[in-house]
Amino acid sequence: SLFSLTAHMDKLPGGRASPILKLDIEGAEWSVLQATPVDLLARFEQIALELHHLHQLDNRAFNAAAQLVLGKLAVHFTLCHVHANNFCSVAVVGGFPVPETLELTYIRSDLVERAPSTTVYPTPIDAPNYPQWPDHLLWYFPFLPSTGAMRFPS
């Protein structure tokens, strides 16, 4: 049997610095984050995760789950880095290009001053997941600097 994220957090000793959460669990991140209370997520200082199956955003159930999870993260976190996994393709969903897999880094919002992004991804410090292929450029909505909040097609 597997432990929930809540059960793992309950094992940590009290009085420690805020932990960092890293999730790369090949699609299971959606159910783990759906089941995790917002107040437990807020205990993390940073969250680095890979989101899989984004090409399914035109599926109503998947879209609803994605909006729920990303909405939970937005309560206490600011997205500070994005990288498209170039081992996966880019699909068109609702007229928008969508990488099938994104790597996201969030930082708890109380630790930063929020400002519109001026970053074009990938950055010079990013590297392709699969070095034989070029990285995916995120030069389109919502990643193009100052295009506003991320919204998924309904």
Side-chain angles (χ1 to χ4, degrees), residues 39-55:
D39 59 332
L40 186 134
L41 290 173
R43 290 176 53 192
F44 293 101
E45 186 173 286
Q46 295 178 44
I47 298 177
L49 70 153
E50 195 168 72
L51 295 178
H52 298 83
H53 312 301
L54 295 170
H55 61 285

Side-chain angles (χ1 to χ4, degrees), residues 78-97:
T78 297
L79 182 64
C80 62
H81 190 80
V82 180
H83 184 251
N85 185 324
N86 77 324
F87 197 71
C88 301
S89 63
V90 174
V92 176
V93 179
F96 292 96

